[in-house]
Amino acid sequence: METNNPYQTNPIPVEDGKTASIVSYFTIIGWLIAYFALHKDKKTSLGSFHLRQSLLINLIYIGLNILQTIILFATASPTLYYLFSILYVILFILWLIGLIGAIQGQKKPIPFLGEKAETMFPNI
């Protein structure tokens, strides 16, 4: 027989955190939706972990775009264009590793950036 205990806490299912984790990897708009609509009221450790990882990747992408625009506008160097292309490919691979981890529901840090994201954004 089940009793209604108002102090009983039910663990939040992994699926709730998984949805926020996956959505957070799709641009900064997806991150904002994942944080405010899916994570803020139902915080999970999986959601928090991937929100931190994806926020760092999104911020690096935005910073790289700004830097590329400024440098290539000033120099128009083909060599720098190829360098930025290589950086974007590396960032895409890191993004893909994070997204696959979110889909699988794992808290596996992104290589090179994962531990840094955990220390930079501890309040998420």
Side-chain angles (χ1 to χ4, degrees), residues 16-17 19-21 23 30 32-43:
D16 289 344
T19 303
S21 299
V23 172
L32 291 170
I33 291 169
Y35 182 75
F36 289 109
L38 303 172
H39 180 71
K40 191 126 176 140
D41 296 331
K42 301 182 220 172
K43 292 187 178 187

Side-chain angles (χ1 to χ4, degrees), residues 41-66:
D41 296 331
K42 301 182 220 172
K43 292 187 178 187
T44 63
S45 63
L46 181 69
S48 294
F49 177 81
H50 283 288
L51 280 164
R52 287 190 288 268
Q53 303 281 309
S54 61
L55 179 60
L56 185 57
I57 286 179
N58 282 317
L59 291 177
I60 289 172
Y61 177 75
I62 291 169
L64 198 58
N65 271 330
I66 292 169

Side-chain angles (χ1 to χ4, degrees), residues 72 75-84:
L72 290 181
T75 64
S77 168
T79 306
L80 288 176
Y81 175 78
Y82 292 121
L83 176 66
F84 277 105

Side-chain angles (χ1 to χ4, degrees), residues 1-5 8 10:
M1 180 174 197
E2 240 180 271
T3 60
N4 286 336
N5 183 354
Q8 180 180 3
N10 295 328

